[in-house]
Amino acid sequence: MSENIQEPEQWSTQGFLAQFMRIHEQMPDRSFAFILGAGASRASRIPAGGELVQKWLEELHQRADGQSALADWATAYNLQIEDFDYARKAEFYPQIYERRFRRDPDEGYADLETVMADKEPSFGYSVLANILDQTRHKVVITTNFDNLVADALSIYTRSYPLVCGHESLAGFVRTRLRRPLIAKIHRDLLLAPINDSDGVNHLAESWKKALTALFSHHTPIVLGYGGNDGSLMDFLQAMPPETIPGGIFWCYRKDDGLPNERIRSLVSQHRGALVPVLGFDEFMLQLNDKLKFQFLADAVRQRANERAEHYQNQVEAIQKRLDDSTTDTSPETLAVKQAMQDSVARQQLNSWWDWELKARQTQNPEERERIYRDGLAQFPDSVELTGNFAVFMDDVRKNYDEAERLYRKALELDPNSAKNTGNFAIFIAAIRKDYNEAERLYRKALELDPKNANNAGNFACFKLIQNQLIEAETLAKQAWQLNAGHAEQVGAEAALYLGLIARLQQRDDQAALGRLKTLLQTGFMHVSWSFDTLLATAQSRLAEPDYRMYAALASAILDTDQVGDLDQYPRWREVAPIALNVYWEDQQPVDSD
């Protein structure tokens, strides 16, 4: 250590964590930025720079000699790298990269893609993602090429980051951020990552401008960065002292010992501190604890289930649209039907959903029943398959005793299934006429899944049939809100109920009819439902013209071909369409995203 260089302060990990929380809680005008190097990716099984250097040296050695010891062969003369020292080989990363791939730069890119392929973000990245998503500390600056930060945000949050993976994108960097920022100063893996000596040692002017602005508002926390490139280190050294608020907190692995002289000088220059940590994941665990974040396994599992269910629903929706297009014999439609048939035939029947797809694919009721029974023989504890078979036996075969047995079996398998509880409520009300039990089931379904628009809408219909208009209106508005302005049948049903309720209470129904008109003009996927009981109970309470128009509206909701018939009703022709994202007078604005 040179005598004219003052050593920086050394803080304990706990001391720094306490400082982090003080800034986090008491200084809302200041944020932290995370500077990540290759060491932060080691727990994600991505080799650090030194490990890659070792690999490339071994490959070069094998080509040139292969007989002598690597340490003896790897000299400045043999490698044609000035001042090369095998003991400090990691510091010569760019020169070794250039030497290894000078014949074919594309091979170098492919090599990096291979070592980074299929790597999952380690635990520390989950904490980092949570911080970027839930706090004002939204900046990551990295010399890494990998996508671990962006992947972690996708896996653990619903936040979409701005990823600047090339110097040409640096102009989009802002200091006031609504979403996380990932600044890749050596470029993204797929955008010709910078590995050569000139690129690694020189920071683009656009990055200098962007980083200067960022560091004027963000205190950097360095993790896993060895400072072996000239670009970022030169830039930080060139910044005048006291231009970075709070200084620089340089975290280093305790087992590796103090950072080199250049790093210590830089930290001292900016009045920062060195912080020993056990590792990236271990440090982020401690930060997770200070911020009182929960572990995310359940959230990840729930998101994965939601994604799988969404995917399944999309496939089933396509199946239904194809099934409903029985009169369309165009070559295009027949080709799509054949594609669906072939895709289903390739399924290996290794899951309940494979059997569900196979059952839905056949139009023959006897064959579909056989497929369901074969599927349940293989997966007797499948809640989903049991519940879907119950609906089939209820709606198609009209075997109500078997349907009830299956509904009850499904709820025995999973008493907390909101879908099966809601479907059983419909069955109990419509078939068994046990209205007390039906109401109990409807309420339980909404308790299990308060955000289920279909269950809220079905319960609204039930209450409307019971002539309990106040609660029916509350539930119908709830269904509309939960549908969030999407063009779906549940929205059309909710609008129908609200229009009926308004008419039954001698109020204006234009707000409901205007939204229903927009939905019918827009179109939506139709699902099985019956308004017969509702219309029968409403007929005696409505004026004859109103009843005929609402009966026609109910038919149009279930069948697109009936929409054109509505123009025979003068009052309907006068209805002005209302956009679905226009909120009702007593409701909050609808989020139409």
Side-chain angles (χ1 to χ4, degrees):
M1 182 74 184
S2 303
E3 292 182 359
N4 62 339
I5 297 177
Q6 183 179 355
E7 288 283 357
E9 292 184 10
Q10 296 189 38
W11 291 18
S12 68
T13 305
Q14 291 300 326
F16 170 66
L17 291 170
Q19 177 71 359
F20 180 97
M21 293 307 299
R22 275 191 293 270
I23 300 298
H24 176 70
E25 294 170 351
Q26 300 174 12
M27 300 182 69
D29 60 331
R30 184 180 296 178
S31 302
F32 287 99
F34 297 88
I35 297 179
L36 302 184
S41 303
R42 291 182 68 183
S44 302
R45 297 185 299 109
I46 292 179
E51 296 172 271
L52 290 175
V53 165
Q54 181 69 24
K55 170 179 176 290
W56 296 330
L57 283 174
E58 290 173 356
E59 292 169 352
L60 287 169
H61 179 228
Q62 183 183 45
R63 289 180 179 179
D65 183 344
Q67 301 299 318
S68 61
L70 175 61
D72 295 333
W73 175 86
T75 63
Y77 176 81
N78 284 333
L79 291 170
Q80 302 170 18
I81 297 174
E82 186 177 355
D83 298 327
F84 176 81
D85 181 355
Y86 184 78
R88 297 167 32 239
K89 56 183 179 290
E91 298 177 24
F92 293 85
Y93 174 97
Q95 294 92 331
I96 297 296
Y97 177 87
E98 281 184 292
R99 177 69 177 81
R100 168 64 179 84
F101 299 109
R102 64 186 180 185
R103 293 178 57 259
D104 187 357
D106 281 346
E107 185 190 354
Y109 301 152
D111 190 73
L112 291 172
E113 289 176 22
T114 299
V115 300
M116 297 181 189
D118 302 323
K119 299 301 189 293
E120 286 287 315
S122 67
F123 169 81
Y125 281 95
S126 73
V127 180
L128 179 59
N130 244 3
I131 293 172
L132 297 173
D133 177 48
Q134 297 188 31
T135 75
R136 66 181 181 277
H137 317 301
K138 294 188 177 296
V139 174
V140 170
I141 300 160
T142 181
T143 57
N144 299 339
F145 314 129
D146 60 59
N147 292 313
L148 294 176
V149 179
D151 288 348
L153 282 164
S154 175
I155 293 169
Y156 298 107
T157 77
R158 299 183 187 276
S159 186
Y160 188 77
L162 169 61
V163 180
C164 294
H166 194 278
E167 58 271 18
S168 62
L169 302 175
F172 292 97
V173 171
R174 299 289 183 270
T175 56
R176 297 172 64 87
L177 300 167
R178 292 189 299 271
R179 63 180 64 253
L181 166 69
I182 305 171
K184 296 186 171 185
I185 61 173
H186 288 172
R187 298 185 183 171
D188 183 81
L189 176 63
L190 303 180
L191 297 176
I194 296 174
N195 279 285
D196 61 285
S197 300
D198 183 65
V200 168
N201 289 318
H202 295 89
L203 191 65
E205 289 299 318
S206 56
W207 276 127
K208 291 180 181 179
K209 182 179 179 181
L211 295 183
T212 298
L214 282 174
F215 286 135
S216 67
H217 294 85
H218 296 78
T219 300
I221 301 172
V222 180
L223 290 158
Y225 174 52
N228 291 324
D229 68 313
S231 56
L232 182 57
M233 287 296 290
D234 287 350
F235 169 77
L236 291 172
Q237 284 181 318
M239 293 186 73
E242 300 183 7
T243 55
I244 299 178
I248 296 177
F249 291 98
W250 198 290
C251 300
Y252 66 95
R253 287 183 76 244
K254 183 179 179 180
D255 290 347
D256 294 340
L258 284 174
N260 61 40
E261 180 179 303
R262 189 183 186 193
I263 291 173
R264 303 201 308 272
S265 174
L266 174 68
V267 175
S268 177
Q269 170 188 329
H270 289 287
R271 298 185 181 181
L274 300 175
V275 182
V277 299
L278 294 181
F280 174 68
D281 283 0
E282 291 82 355
F283 172 75
M284 297 307 292
L285 171 61
Q286 291 174 286
L287 200 50
N288 187 83
D289 180 53
K290 290 295 181 183
L291 290 166
K292 295 181 168 51
F293 289 159
Q294 294 183 342
F295 289 139
L296 299 174
D298 289 341
V300 172
R301 193 174 294 110
Q302 180 179 349
R303 289 201 65 196
N305 290 338
E306 289 173 355
R307 285 181 171 179
E309 184 176 356
H310 178 74
Y311 177 86
Q312 292 169 354
N313 289 340
Q314 291 292 304
V315 174
E316 291 169 8
I318 297 173
Q319 267 192 320
K320 187 176 191 315
R321 288 198 298 271
L322 293 173
D323 290 345
D324 291 344
S325 60
T326 53
T327 59
D328 186 352
T329 58
S330 66
E332 295 81 5
T333 299
L334 292 177
V336 176
K337 287 184 175 181
Q338 186 63 50
M340 177 62 76
Q341 180 177 334
D342 293 344
S343 297
V344 172
R346 282 194 298 273
Q347 296 298 106
Q348 298 298 309
L349 301 179
N350 291 327
S351 71
W352 73 264
W353 192 58
D354 293 336
W355 285 99
E356 177 67 22
L357 286 178
K358 185 176 181 180
R360 287 171 178 263
Q361 192 63 25
T362 179
Q363 300 301 309
N364 183 287
E366 289 79 11
E367 177 67 9
R368 183 174 291 191
E369 180 179 346
R370 184 193 65 76
I371 293 171
Y372 270 124
R373 295 196 184 280
D374 288 348
L376 283 174
Q378 183 175 349
F379 298 99
D381 295 330
S382 169
V383 177
E384 299 86 356
L385 202 60
T386 304
N388 291 344
F389 189 21
V391 172
F392 168 77
M393 296 302 287
D394 179 4
D395 289 348
V396 179
R397 298 305 297 263
K398 307 301 180 184
N399 186 338
Y400 298 130
D401 290 341
E402 178 67 352
E404 181 171 351
R405 183 191 71 79
L406 290 164
Y407 278 127
R408 295 192 182 280
K409 174 68 181 301
L411 291 177
E412 286 177 10
L413 292 170
D414 182 7
N416 295 321
S417 169
K419 177 182 177 181
N420 287 328
T421 302
N423 287 338
F424 194 29
I426 297 170
F427 175 86
I428 290 296
I431 304 303
R432 300 308 191 202
K433 310 298 183 185
D434 187 343
Y435 301 124
N436 290 333
E437 176 67 1
E439 178 161 343
R440 184 191 69 79
L441 290 166
Y442 274 124
R443 292 195 186 281
K444 183 180 179 182
L446 275 179
E447 288 173 5
L448 292 170
D449 186 1
K451 296 183 178 181
N452 190 302
N454 283 306
N455 284 340
N458 295 341
F459 196 11
C461 182
F462 175 81
K463 283 295 184 179
L464 187 49
I465 291 171
Q466 303 297 309
N467 200 29
Q468 298 176 19
L469 302 186
I470 295 176
E471 190 170 7
E473 183 173 23
T474 298
L475 289 163
K477 288 180 177 178
Q478 181 181 353
W480 179 271
Q481 282 291 95
L482 291 172
N483 190 50
H486 297 300
E488 303 283 355
Q489 181 168 314
V490 63
E493 293 176 12
L496 179 77
Y497 303 150
L498 290 167
L500 269 172
I501 292 167
R503 213 59 181 168
L504 290 169
Q505 294 180 334
Q506 306 300 312
R507 293 189 284 111
D508 186 7
D509 58 359
Q510 293 299 301
L513 294 181
R515 289 165 173 82
L516 182 52
K517 193 165 202 173
T518 297
L519 279 166
L520 291 174
Q521 290 175 345
T522 303
F524 47 83
M525 190 182 77
H526 300 275
V527 297
S528 176
W529 189 243
S530 173
F531 296 108
D532 292 349
T533 304
L534 173 64
L535 292 171
T537 58
Q539 184 172 11
S540 61
R541 292 179 274 156
L542 288 172
E544 182 61 22
D546 282 338
Y547 169 75
R548 285 190 282 106
M549 186 186 77
Y550 271 97
L553 286 170
S555 297
I557 289 173
L558 300 177
D559 184 357
T560 303
D561 294 338
Q562 305 298 316
V563 174
D565 296 342
L566 295 172
D567 287 337
Q568 65 181 292
Y569 301 98
R571 200 159 74 81
W572 177 254
R573 292 200 300 270
E574 295 171 0
V575 170
I578 300 175
L580 303 183
N581 60 355
V582 174
Y583 63 96
W584 305 73
E585 291 183 0
D586 58 345
Q587 288 181 295
Q588 295 298 314
V590 172
D591 180 3
S592 60
D593 290 341

